[in-house]
Amino acid sequence: MNDNPTTTANSLTTGLDELASYLERSTLLVLAYADIFESKYARPALDKISRHFQGQPLTTTWITTTLTLFAVMSILPVLSFIGLSIFALCSSMCIALTFGFAAVVALEIMFATVLLLVLGGLLFFSFVCTTFCAMAYLTFRLGQNLQTQGRFEIAGWAQETRQHFTFVSVKPEDNDDSDGSGVHIAQEANDQVKRENSSPSPSRSLMAPSGSA
């Protein structure tokens, strides 16, 4: 890296000079082409139009007026054409988007229907497999009970099968209440026994005088 400030300033000045010379050459080239166009095409055309206007003023005025009127009157049709073109383009885009959205919705509904059918089939298949496994297990248990206990174990197998499909509802609150009531009853029984032991019975009251006598 060059750290000399003088060299850097000289390089920058050289670059600016080259850019200025390039711009100057470009300007001269554009001016030269403009002069060529003016001398070969623009001035001869203007001179010819001027001579034609001087020679035939009525025809030139008629042509100029016609072109001017045509330009003024053609503004509205041109603007209408542009507006109708934009409207047709926007309408086509809206119609295409509407049909595209409708096609997407139809495809999504079709895919959702297929998905629901597949899920329903899987649910049915799972139910059938589970039922088959349960029946196979119960049949195995029946065979095992018959093999070990004989035909008298069919009632036990039926009871076991009924227990598999019966839900026993257990309420902890009721158990707590029953336990509490049991403890309370036991406490009342103990209190009653203590009262009976502490209070004198009639037999004891009768035996006491006889002993003293």
Side-chain angles (χ1 to χ4, degrees), residues 52-63:
H52 185 75
F53 182 77
Q54 291 176 2
Q56 297 178 351
L58 182 61
T59 304
T60 306
T61 303
W62 180 77
I63 292 173

Side-chain angles (χ1 to χ4, degrees), residues 44-58:
L46 291 175
D47 293 339
K48 186 176 181 179
I49 292 172
S50 179
R51 287 195 301 270
H52 185 75
F53 182 77
Q54 291 176 2
Q56 297 178 351
L58 182 61

